[in-house]
Amino acid sequence: MIWAFGLEEIAKAPIGGVGFGAFWSVPSYARLYIEAYVDEGLYWFHNSYIELMVGNGLLGR
């Protein structure tokens, strides 16, 4: 389930990502939903590839 959220975020910014660690530090509906329904202490997608793609995208930042 958490990977599905990560894949959705990758699709929003596949080339440059959202910035390393930015997804977990900026309030967003997706992050708040994940914390409310999946795990309130979650700070990564439990998959290194998905985490890197969300943060850095294909080209990295």
Side-chain angles (χ1 to χ4, degrees):
M1 179 173 179
I2 188 68
W3 292 1
F5 288 113
L7 294 173
E8 288 176 18
E9 292 302 311
I10 291 169
K12 294 177 185 175
I15 303 299
V18 297
F20 184 74
F23 180 84
W24 301 108
S25 60
V26 176
S28 71
Y29 293 115
R31 185 182 62 80
L32 294 174
Y33 179 84
I34 290 170
E35 289 182 352
Y37 294 101
V38 179
D39 182 355
E40 64 185 45
L42 191 66
Y43 293 107
W44 66 299
F45 287 101
H46 296 286
N47 179 301
S48 297
Y49 175 76
I50 291 176
E51 187 69 33
L52 286 170
M53 285 297 296
V54 169
N56 299 333
L58 290 171
L59 300 179
R61 281 191 170 185

